[in-house]
Amino acid sequence: MSAAAGTVRIFGAIRKRSPLIHQQIRLINQSQVELNLSDDSLPSKARVVICGGGVQGAAVAYELAKLGLGNETVLLEQGRLGGGSTWHSTGLVTHLRNTYTETRLARDSVALYKELDSQGLKTGWRQCGSLSVARTKDRMTMFRRIKARAQAWKIPCEVFTVNEVAAKCPIILTSDVLGGLWVPGDGVGDPYEICVSLISAARKKGVKIIESCSIYKVMEDKGKVSAVETSKGNIQCDVFVNCGGLWARKVGKLSQTPVKVPLHPCEHYCLHTKPIPGLDPNTPVVKDEDGQIYLRENEGKLLIGGFELIAKPAFEDGKVPDNFSHQSLIPDWDHFHVLLEQMLHRIPKLSDIVIERLCNGPEAFSPDGKWLLGEAPEVQNYFVAAGANTMGLSAAGGLAKATAGLILGRGGGLPADSYELELSRFLGLHNNRRYLRDRVKEVPGMHFKLPYPFQEFTTGRNLRMSPIYPRLRQAGAVFGQVMGYERPSYFDTSIDSEAARSADSPDYEEHYGLRPFRIATTNTFGKPPWFDIVESEYTACRETVGISDYSSFTKMDLWSKGSQVVDFLQKVCSNDVDIPIGGIIHTGMQNEKGGYENDCSFARLAENRYMMLAPTIQQTRCKTWMQRHMPSDGSVAVSDVTSMYTAICVMGPHAIPLLSELADVDLNPSFFPFFTFKELDVGLASGIRAMNLTHTGELGCVLYIPNEFALHVYSGLVEFGKKYGLQHCGYYAMRALRIEKFYAFWGQDLDTSTTPLECGRSFRVKFDKKANFIGKDALLKQREEGIKRMYVQLILQDHDSEVDLWPWGGEPILKDGRYVGATTTTGYGFTLGRQVCLGFVENRDEKGNTGLVTNDFVLSGDYQVDIAGVRYEAKVNLNSPVLPTKYTPIDPERLRYQATRPHIK
Amino acid sequence: MTYLGFFNVVNVPCIQVTAILRVNEYTQEFQGFSVKSYDSNQLPSNNPIEDTRAEARCLLTQGLLLGIFDGHAGGSCAQVLSKRLFKYVAASLLHPEVVHKYSQAPTDLIQSFNDNYELAKILEELYSSSFKQFLTDLAKQTSEVDANKALERAFLRIDQDMSQEAEPTVAGPASQATLTVAAAGAVACVSYIAGAHLHVASTGDCQAVLGSVTENNRWTATKLTEEHNSDNAAEVARILAEHPPNEQDTVIKMDRLLGQLAPLRAFGDFRFKWSRDRLRRLLVPKLGDQALPPNYYTPPYLTAKPQVTHHRLTPKDKFLVIASDGLWDLISPLQAVRLVGEHMSGKVTLNPFRLPKSEMKLKEVNQLLLQRKEGLKMKPLDTNAATHLIRNALGGTEYGVDHGKLSQLLMLPDDMVRVFRDDITVTVVYFDSEFLQKCPA
């Protein structure tokens, strides 16, 4: 162990190390920081208590201090500052993330470090740029797609030729490289120095820092944070921020109502070399994603890390020792070897370089690889900023600024569309320890995997399944997962179930004759392998009848004794929910800014009882939103009934005749109109709710079937459906249908920043209803002033779906050659025979200022959509199109229905 | 292995090394029992070896007894124990009424396996009369005792009997032999497995370790014994508390009991148990004045009382490793469990890799790791898991078993060998997971 003992310099700070044995893990270094930034006594009161003295907690403290809360903020650290993953993190800061939200937060992070730098505080920040290299054509496509997006986001970025790559970074091997991506604004920082600088700056503004202070319990009063019990006494507070990093999940469990913070540590390896003579101090960050490795220069040495495809979870019992501070784990060299081989390949010179050490520092990963942000659904005024998935420095500043904004209630929430990072995206299953442990094996590897469309995880599968799942699988279903639910993406019957079954399959269901479990894959940026299948499913929905499993949809029951539930819904919904019993109303739930917190449908079951149907990913989120706005007297009850019903959508021209036969009742439109529901007897079962809407624009309805009847009803549908040409359809076909019909979906097209006026849905906002609803003022103001962006449908004109790269969302939209927005969702329109892109259009001038967007503005001008650097001509639509059909519509009213209509002023 | 370099040792061929390692191999299989089989092996260091082992099936109760005895000051005490102790345990496990019936019409209490030597006739007779007395005493008991208590009773009684048998008045012509046994000592670890119940009794510093798989298919090691030596703070405290304060500095000196005995609990070793008078009368004539340990004021200083643990076996528990300290001096419980666990699936286990020196170039590191990768593909040489453990304990490196290191350690001259390795005895007991799955609580 002599090589590991002694004093080591990491990013300039001197730390002493000594061998230490802890449990069965031998920790190679225990560092001591020669700093004293701690205050002695714990105040008895504060407005905000931050838990965690890593770079994340420090950044939140700093942002709060900047906003004037310095004297009312206390930061508690169980050990010493920066002891979790802050001290060993490599400090890469990269802008261009997969989503705009994360990109913007990363931009805020860089701004923060520059701000510290300008105050003369130490940050280690160096804008050395980052250079990604491609080994494959698809990687180059990814670079071009990123570049297209970056241009729209105004982040400088260039696609490099091999020669340019070699010139920018001569130490790397380029013989197998096809090109590169150069992001000059990226850089590196020293997480530890930044942490210390943020803490000292925050202290100057009054923030109290208490080290060696463990949290025992976070107390609540009426569902809100009220105090924190610590090893140094109790402290009353209004707000608690969990920046616990590796310990954040554990801290989550310490509140009276446990807060789910789904994180699990994984081993993360970083190789430190000895000084390399002649190493250019301006060596950029290099990412060889096809080889899963990255490197940066640090004081004449190289730090090289990687994201192996199968990572090793750390602390598998779920317990991260409290005293695991400034420590690393014993490295598993055999595990690291795959990365080392890639490093030696990419940097030939490395062979003769002497190793200083291999650091195995645990990092916390979330089940979807995304950061954790926002208010806990379980406890009010309890915020979390954690789970940076090794991107600590890219995330810290942005997450801190967003959290500070939330705490101060600035503008009623997070900056725009942060829903994908918010805690409300999780269910209980996501916090299951074994689920996390299994899942995080593949999360680190996702960082550098090619981001093909519809990425799927392979762990944590077959978790939530509808009762008809085995039958769907037998029918050839190939699955995608949403909120833990297995949802058929498409049905592939071409594979012989016997042949595909592997002899040593762990899947015992196969031994009962089920087809093997298959996960949907796309693995291309061009025409997907499932194209023909989805076309056939699409056609069934348009011309005969298709059935699709909608069981994952969020379903809630709401009721009250008197009319309180109606009053409540009138307050939270922008449409008028006071509809006749038996009716269905589609409405948004707006926030104060008028944005969509939720987009859902209500079926009025009785005078004072509704059933709510909402997108799958709203399950935690919408319930929390409603509960926070409910009358405090408990007069309105809400119950999550998602798991009680199986939902089967039956759609297509033959849907109603099929159902009529199966239910033995005439379901013609005059008896069963659009936007109503009926309780039916289907087959021999009863109490099946048929909702006359399909969420795709096709004729038909969704059957909400109590779970015990699901197989019976399904069997009946399949049997009776044969003569109607019934076909199983998956999610991809639904998506193709609704995109072509210009139907917006929450979480894909709409988010918390989109207002109904912007997305062609002002017809669903009832300004004149008696009740005042949340967001009304903002929407009225917007109606007065006009909108600054508009949801449009773009039909690509000169795109060849066979050979050209496809749009998959996020592509820049150009109007008269100028960037005006980006696509949200895209798909092939099988009836139109063209690619269809949905997205938002703004009116930006040269300086990037946005002006009003009118119908005339949108309709005048030539549109293009940029797919990986190639611009395709596009025709713009403001209305849902009326698609031709060869069938005489049995429901003409329905055929005319347009989900998206331009706002008429 | 540079520290061995100055011995001029011949590098013997692999086949010979293997032959040496396998001399004492033994394997026994079972049917319809919670134990599927066991592998056992011994490698001597002392000549003759001072370790002994015993395995037997109880015939009147459905249980299996497996023990390892590590003798010191000669092997006689360990030999006698391996011959006698299991009968004492088997009898203790019986209900008093059954003991009574049994003593009317004695049959075999146990069926021993791998039992290779016999006691002298005169000792045989002496021991059988002691045992009869024990049975008579047992039959007087009013109630049955649990297995933990039975083990403890048997341990204490046989030690007491050995003490009695050292008296010339009791032993008669056998007294020369019984005095030799009384002057020697032994530590022991005995496990009794009946259905899903695993009981382990240990006196001294042998160890039993349970190998189990976690839900995540990793191996975990659970120590079922505590070593009774001066590293064990509780044990030291126990002994100090048993003697007056003025002896605090002398009871345990240089990590040894009265500066002499390393294990803090043992069978025999009556030099640490009898009164001064009795020592003067019986052992001083035989051994001289040094028979009396220094600072011998308040005997007894030593006990044979075992620490007994019970563990309810689950299908996750795959095997038990019992071994003398000769093995545990070389590898940790977790290493042993990983070695046996990987051996079960036909894989080799390499020691965790550490950088062998500072100032290593990355290509050198890569070379070593490639070498390991090759090593990991190898199949274990031995089918007997006990041999596999001994081979790896002696020759294991980060790249696989180092033949040179192994043959050097095996070929050391008799006068040097004890410096580098102790007698090693290992028994690996495999559990039947299917049996345990169905086993009633």
Side-chain angles (χ1 to χ4, degrees):
Chain A
M1 296 299 292
S2 60
T7 301
V8 187
R9 221 173 132 76
I10 309 160
F11 299 121
I14 304 277
R15 286 146 221 181
K16 280 182 201 154
R17 307 187 188 170
S18 66
L20 174 91
I21 295 179
H22 183 87
Q23 292 171 349
Q24 283 173 358
I25 304 150
R26 196 165 204 185
L27 308 165
I28 52 163
N29 50 35
Q30 180 190 32
S31 313
Q32 203 66 60
V33 186
E34 333 288 343
L35 278 167
N36 194 3
L37 289 171
S38 184
D39 298 275
D40 296 329
S41 63
L42 184 77
S44 62
K45 237 174 146 175
R47 183 156 163 206
V48 184
V49 169
I50 300 167
C51 164
V55 70
Q56 185 62 67
V60 172
Y62 176 86
E63 290 291 343
L64 285 173
K66 221 165 78 178
L67 295 174
L69 283 190
N71 289 321
E72 298 171 85
T73 299
V74 175
L75 183 147
L76 309 179
E77 161 58 44
Q78 62 174 350
R80 316 259 344 233
L81 296 170
S85 51
T86 295
W87 76 272
H88 63 67
S89 174
T90 41
L92 265 46
V93 186
T94 46
H95 280 82
L96 282 170
R97 318 217 51 85
N98 276 333
T99 65
Y100 188 47
T101 308
E102 285 196 356
T103 300
R104 245 185 358 200
L105 293 173
R107 204 149 61 177
D108 287 344
S109 297
V110 174
L112 171 64
Y113 310 144
K114 284 184 176 167
E115 177 181 311
L116 292 176
D117 224 22
S118 69
Q119 293 168 23
L121 292 165
K122 279 189 177 175
T123 58
W125 167 250
R126 194 152 46 82
Q127 192 173 317
C128 57
S130 80
L131 178 66
S132 300
V133 297
R135 297 189 193 186
T136 63
K137 276 187 169 175
D138 278 0
R139 185 69 66 183
M140 284 306 290
T141 299
M142 169 191 148
F143 289 170
R144 294 196 183 97
R145 289 174 56 84
I146 290 177
K147 193 206 164 186
R149 270 197 317 235
Q151 271 176 310
W153 295 342
K154 300 216 178 320
I155 294 175
C157 155
E158 279 174 70
V159 173
F160 269 8
T161 62
V162 188
N163 289 343
E164 287 171 313
V165 169
K168 185 58 81 180
C169 186
I171 59 166
I172 62 171
L173 177 88
T174 49
S175 58
D176 63 341
V177 165
L178 303 180
L181 183 77
W182 170 243
V183 187
D186 284 352
V188 293
D190 179 336
Y192 189 78
E193 279 187 0
I194 289 175
C195 177
V196 169
S197 295
L198 286 167
I199 290 280
S200 3
R203 275 189 87 202
K204 276 198 191 120
K205 293 199 163 112
V207 177
K208 281 233 167 8
I209 311 290
I210 317 285
E211 282 187 317
S212 306
C213 180
S214 299
I215 287 178
Y216 294 152
K217 197 147 193 92
V218 179
M219 308 298 290
E220 288 160 40
D221 186 25
K222 296 190 186 89
K224 290 184 182 175
V225 169
S226 63
V228 181
E229 280 178 31
T230 79
S231 56
K232 295 197 170 178
N234 291 4
I235 174 166
Q236 286 182 2
C237 62
D238 300 332
V239 175
F240 181 78
V241 191
N242 180 348
C243 301
L246 289 170
W247 294 270
R249 181 172 180 273
K250 181 191 154 187
V251 171
K253 290 180 167 178
L254 297 178
S255 47
Q256 262 177 319
T257 316
V259 168
K260 293 186 284 290
V261 188
L263 290 175
H264 197 293
C266 255
E267 298 191 352
H268 182 60
Y269 288 86
C270 184
L271 178 84
H272 297 240
T273 70
K274 294 263 189 202
I276 299 175
L279 181 66
D280 183 356
N282 282 320
T283 299
V285 169
V286 176
K287 291 190 275 180
D288 176 5
E289 290 153 301
D290 297 309
Q292 293 100 40
I293 54 161
Y294 62 85
L295 63 89
R296 64 161 287 190
E297 187 275 344
N298 182 52
E299 297 179 345
K301 311 163 190 174
L302 283 179
L303 304 189
I304 322 172
F307 295 105
E308 63 275 30
L309 290 175
I310 301 168
K312 266 180 91 177
F315 307 113
E316 291 192 34
D317 55 359
K319 291 171 197 138
V320 185
D322 289 346
N323 59 5
F324 189 82
S325 179
H326 290 103
Q327 288 174 0
S328 57
L329 301 168
I330 257 203
D332 176 343
W333 285 87
D334 300 315
H335 182 77
F336 169 72
H337 191 212
V338 285
L339 295 175
L340 178 63
E341 286 183 310
Q342 295 296 336
M343 294 169 182
L344 290 168
H345 169 76
R346 187 53 59 212
I347 315 147
K349 204 178 164 182
L350 209 56
S351 285
D352 289 308
I353 302 301
V354 173
I355 177 174
E356 185 177 272
R357 68 200 169 91
L358 177 64
C359 176
N360 174 9
E363 296 264 6
F365 291 87
S366 62
D368 54 4
K370 290 179 178 162
W371 304 338
L372 264 51
L373 174 64
E375 189 175 15
E378 296 90 346
V379 187
Q380 287 191 60
N381 293 343
Y382 186 120
F383 298 90
V384 176
N389 289 267
T390 71
M391 303 292 154
L393 272 199
S394 303
L399 292 184
K401 195 174 166 190
T403 304
L406 270 178
I407 290 169
L408 283 161
R410 291 255 161 118
L414 288 168
D417 52 342
S418 309
Y419 71 91
E420 57 169 26
L421 304 182
E422 284 182 69
L423 289 171
S424 53
R425 70 184 188 270
F426 297 117
L427 294 170
L429 71 95
H430 294 111
N431 205 36
N432 176 307
R433 182 176 65 77
R434 290 193 204 178
Y435 166 86
L436 283 169
R437 182 200 62 200
D438 285 0
R439 172 55 59 85
V440 296
K441 286 178 191 163
E442 56 177 330
V443 172
M446 290 294 278
H447 277 330
F448 281 0
K449 255 193 181 165
L450 273 165
Y452 288 124
F454 304 115
Q455 289 270 34
E456 290 284 335
F457 287 99
T458 58
T459 53
R461 297 305 295 258
N462 284 335
L463 188 49
R464 290 176 87 195
M465 292 171 279
S466 77
I468 59 171
Y469 164 90
R471 300 289 296 273
L472 299 174
R473 192 162 131 187
Q474 198 52 23
V478 181
F479 293 93
Q481 193 183 41
V482 53
M483 291 292 260
Y485 230 113
E486 295 297 346
R487 177 174 68 181
S489 298
Y490 50 88
F491 287 80
D492 178 4
T493 48
S494 67
I495 295 177
D496 176 38
S497 53
E498 279 302 322
R501 195 171 302 149
S502 62
D504 55 354
S505 166
D507 191 343
Y508 77 90
E509 287 146 341
E510 287 177 28
H511 299 298
Y512 294 94
L514 265 188
R515 278 177 191 270
F517 174 63
R518 282 182 291 164
I519 296 175
T521 50
T522 300
N523 286 347
T524 172
F525 293 109
K527 186 184 171 188
W530 36 259
F531 182 86
D532 294 342
I533 293 174
V534 171
E535 178 172 32
S536 139
E537 293 174 10
Y538 170 97
T539 309
C541 297
R542 298 273 305 147
E543 295 180 1
T544 57
V545 57
I547 54 169
S548 189
D549 186 3
Y550 279 14
S551 302
S552 69
F553 274 22
T554 299
K555 313 164 202 84
M556 303 267 169
D557 261 3
L558 291 104
W559 69 95
S560 60
K561 272 190 180 154
S563 62
Q564 297 93 332
V565 70
V566 186
D567 300 340
F568 163 65
L569 288 179
Q570 290 292 40
K571 182 177 94 177
V572 291
C573 297
S574 49
N575 208 335
D576 187 352
V577 298
D578 196 1
I579 52 170
I581 295 168
I584 300 174
I585 184 86
H586 192 164
T587 177
M589 288 188 184
Q590 319 312 131
N591 54 35
E592 290 292 346
K593 288 182 188 163
Y596 277 95
E597 280 300 322
N598 185 12
D599 178 36
C600 53
S601 304
F602 282 94
R604 193 164 192 179
L605 306 179
E607 192 64 31
N608 298 315
R609 189 177 189 103
Y610 290 85
M611 181 176 187
M612 183 184 94
L613 313 168
T616 307
I617 55 170
Q618 279 274 359
Q619 195 172 346
T620 300
R621 186 183 178 90
C622 70
K623 194 175 176 191
T624 308
W625 179 260
M626 291 193 291
Q627 279 169 336
R628 301 252 157 113
H629 292 92
M630 266 181 188
S632 53
D633 58 6
S635 56
V636 178
V638 58
S639 170
D640 182 350
V641 294
T642 302
S643 303
M644 286 169 61
Y645 295 94
T646 301
I648 302 176
C649 181
V650 190
M651 78 199 100
H654 296 168
I656 297 298
L658 164 63
L659 261 184
S660 297
E661 185 181 345
L662 194 61
D664 200 16
V665 55
D666 182 9
L667 294 173
N668 74 61
S670 57
F671 172 70
F672 185 34
F674 192 31
F675 275 120
T676 65
F677 76 92
K678 282 261 175 295
E679 286 232 344
L680 299 180
D681 291 346
V682 179
L684 310 183
S686 64
I688 316 296
R689 268 178 211 151
M691 309 269 186
N692 196 330
L693 79 172
T694 58
H695 307 274
T696 61
E698 297 311 311
L699 293 170
C701 59
V702 186
L703 302 177
Y704 285 85
I705 313 160
N707 279 335
E708 65 270 33
F709 292 134
L711 268 173
H712 178 82
V713 172
Y714 168 84
S715 303
L717 282 169
V718 172
E719 199 191 321
F720 281 71
K722 276 182 199 152
K723 61 174 181 274
Y724 294 93
L726 178 134
Q727 195 173 333
H728 284 91
C729 300
Y731 168 68
Y732 293 173
M734 303 303 103
R735 197 176 144 96
L737 287 163
R738 70 104 181 153
I739 289 172
E740 197 175 26
K741 285 253 170 118
F742 199 6
Y743 272 50
F745 261 40
W746 192 91
Q748 298 179 26
D749 305 289
L750 313 181
D751 58 41
T752 53
S753 70
T754 322
T755 72
L757 280 64
E758 293 163 357
C759 67
R761 290 200 181 166
S762 37
F763 70 98
R764 285 196 188 136
V765 179
K766 297 296 183 296
F767 287 108
D768 48 358
K769 72 177 181 183
K770 263 182 263 159
N772 203 4
F773 62 89
I774 299 170
K776 185 177 176 181
D777 293 344
L779 292 179
L780 277 173
K781 186 160 171 268
Q782 193 179 42
R783 191 169 69 166
E784 242 4 85
E785 292 173 355
I787 54 175
K788 289 193 159 182
R789 59 174 180 161
M790 192 183 288
Y791 189 47
V792 300
Q793 185 184 46
L794 294 158
I795 318 288
L796 300 194
Q797 300 301 310
D798 52 352
H799 183 274
D800 183 342
S801 293
E802 291 296 324
V803 295
D804 290 336
L805 293 170
W806 278 33
W808 292 106
E811 289 81 13
I813 300 170
L814 298 99
K815 179 171 176 271
D816 300 328
R818 184 180 289 170
Y819 290 106
V820 289
T823 65
T824 50
T825 49
T826 59
Y828 186 76
F830 291 94
T831 301
L832 297 169
R834 301 227 189 275
Q835 293 288 346
V836 181
C837 302
L838 308 181
F840 285 89
V841 165
E842 291 181 336
N843 178 4
R844 289 188 211 162
D845 65 14
E846 275 129 29
K847 287 178 191 156
N849 298 320
T850 53
L852 292 182
V853 176
T854 60
N855 295 351
D856 289 344
F857 169 82
V858 173
L859 291 172
S860 64
D862 294 323
Y863 283 87
Q864 288 171 312
V865 173
D866 181 333
I867 304 171
V870 180
R871 293 175 182 183
Y872 297 91
E873 300 298 325
K875 248 178 65 184
V876 71
N877 269 341
L878 299 182
N879 284 306
S880 291
V882 176
L883 298 177
T885 169
K886 42 185 164 175
Y887 288 81
T888 323
I890 59 161
D891 190 354
E893 182 211 344
R894 178 127 180 210
L895 201 67
R896 284 194 300 272
Y897 180 79
Q898 291 177 314
T900 308
R901 307 170 201 171
H903 171 58
I904 300 150
K905 204 174 173 181
Chain B
M1 286 281 100
T2 45
Y3 64 86
L4 283 171
F6 54 87
F7 294 110
N8 189 15
V9 186
V10 203
N11 209 344
V12 291
C14 186
I15 191 157
Q16 196 181 339
V17 164
T18 299
I20 295 168
L21 285 173
R22 291 185 181 168
V23 171
N24 298 312
E25 276 190 350
Y26 184 80
T27 296
Q28 176 74 44
E29 292 183 6
F30 301 95
Q31 294 286 327
F33 195 55
S34 54
V35 172
K36 208 159 39 179
S37 66
Y38 73 82
D39 287 344
S40 178
N41 199 359
Q42 281 190 313
L43 181 72
S45 162
N46 295 299
N47 188 9
I49 186 168
E50 294 181 348
D51 279 7
T52 60
R53 55 186 162 158
E55 304 90 37
R57 182 170 205 157
C58 299
L59 296 173
L60 298 186
T61 56
Q62 282 300 314
L64 202 63
L65 284 162
L66 302 113
I68 281 177
F69 311 91
D70 177 355
H72 47 263
S76 59
C77 182
Q79 281 168 15
V80 166
L81 278 174
S82 67
K83 274 309 231 193
R84 301 176 69 192
L85 179 61
F86 285 5
K87 278 191 200 160
Y88 277 68
V89 176
S92 295
L93 287 162
L94 300 174
H95 192 276
E97 281 174 25
V98 183
V99 176
H100 185 71
K101 256 187 242 160
Y102 168 80
S103 44
Q104 307 303 312
T107 56
D108 281 344
L109 269 177
I110 57 171
Q111 175 200 354
S112 293
F113 309 107
N114 192 25
D115 185 13
N116 311 326
Y117 59 93
E118 283 178 15
L119 291 168
K121 191 103 192 163
I122 42 170
L123 280 176
E124 195 88 61
E125 282 160 11
L126 175 67
Y127 291 161
S128 113
S129 86
S130 295
F131 185 63
K132 265 186 203 138
Q133 184 56 47
F134 180 45
L135 289 175
T136 315
D137 294 349
L138 277 179
K140 286 181 201 151
Q141 302 287 321
T142 48
S143 63
E144 202 177 8
V145 296
D146 65 35
N148 279 9
K149 277 267 152 34
L151 280 159
E152 183 181 320
R153 183 156 70 192
F155 271 50
L156 288 171
R157 176 62 181 244
I158 198 163
D159 197 50
Q160 189 190 324
D161 284 359
M162 286 195 293
S163 170
Q164 287 296 317
E165 288 151 5
E167 288 288 342
T169 49
V170 177
S175 67
Q176 271 312 313
T178 54
L179 268 178
T180 307
V181 173
V187 295
C189 178
V190 172
S191 73
Y192 174 63
I193 305 160
H197 296 280
L198 166 64
H199 303 266
V200 177
S202 177
T203 291
D205 54 5
C206 289
Q207 283 194 70
V209 176
L210 186 66
S212 321
V213 281
T214 63
E215 54 193 27
N216 205 20
N217 274 328
R218 301 242 179 127
W219 289 103
T220 57
T222 312
K223 274 176 67 172
L224 296 175
T225 49
E226 281 177 41
E227 296 153 271
H228 301 130
N229 59 26
S230 57
D231 291 339
N232 181 339
E235 196 57 14
V236 170
R238 173 186 68 81
I239 293 175
L240 291 181
E242 287 171 2
H243 300 278
N246 61 346
E247 286 188 54
Q248 300 298 297
D249 297 335
T250 55
V251 178
I252 292 172
K253 237 179 154 171
M254 293 179 300
D255 293 336
R256 281 160 185 262
L257 190 66
L258 298 173
Q260 293 192 346
L261 191 65
L264 299 182
R265 295 192 199 189
F267 289 94
D269 284 322
F270 294 105
R271 293 175 56 230
F272 303 91
K273 290 174 181 166
W274 288 343
S275 68
R276 286 179 82 94
D277 288 348
R278 197 167 171 204
L279 280 179
R280 283 223 175 79
R281 183 162 56 81
L282 294 176
L283 282 180
V284 171
K286 189 177 162 73
L287 302 175
D289 275 342
Q290 67 264 36
L292 208 59
N295 303 303
Y296 199 77
Y297 308 118
T298 51
Y301 287 90
L302 188 65
T303 177
K305 185 178 172 179
Q307 225 168 335
V308 194
T309 50
H310 168 251
H311 175 81
R312 174 81 166 74
L313 292 168
T314 73
K316 291 200 170 296
D317 301 321
K318 300 299 179 190
F319 55 85
L320 178 74
V321 180
I322 317 171
S324 58
D325 64 341
L327 182 78
W328 305 119
D329 288 345
L330 300 169
I331 56 172
S332 71
L334 185 63
Q335 270 177 295
V337 164
R338 283 187 48 207
L339 279 164
V340 176
E342 298 294 321
H343 181 260
M344 281 175 80
S345 52
K347 289 184 202 135
V348 294
T349 313
L350 304 184
N351 293 351
F353 180 81
R354 298 226 167 83
L355 287 182
K357 54 175 190 178
S358 54
E359 300 295 319
M360 278 195 78
K361 286 183 178 172
L362 282 161
K363 66 177 172 198
E364 296 169 321
V365 177
N366 189 39
Q367 274 310 315
L368 295 179
L369 290 173
L370 284 171
Q371 215 175 313
R372 273 173 73 80
K373 221 170 163 182
E374 282 309 303
L376 283 167
K377 288 184 197 152
M378 307 266 283
K379 294 264 172 271
L381 279 170
D382 307 294
T383 49
N384 184 307
T387 314
H388 180 68
L389 275 176
I390 295 173
R391 185 190 292 273
N392 277 275
L394 293 173
T397 71
E398 293 159 18
Y399 312 100
V401 174
D402 178 345
H403 176 73
K405 179 181 166 191
L406 184 60
S407 64
Q408 279 191 324
L409 278 169
L410 288 179
M411 291 293 141
L412 288 167
D414 270 5
D415 54 337
M416 292 305 301
V417 59
R418 186 60 189 86
V419 181
F420 294 102
R421 58 180 174 86
D422 194 355
D423 294 333
I424 303 176
T425 305
V426 183
T427 300
V428 180
V429 189
Y430 292 103
F431 301 118
D432 187 334
S433 301
E434 269 178 46
F435 183 94
L436 292 172
Q437 196 100 50
K438 295 171 204 145
C439 214

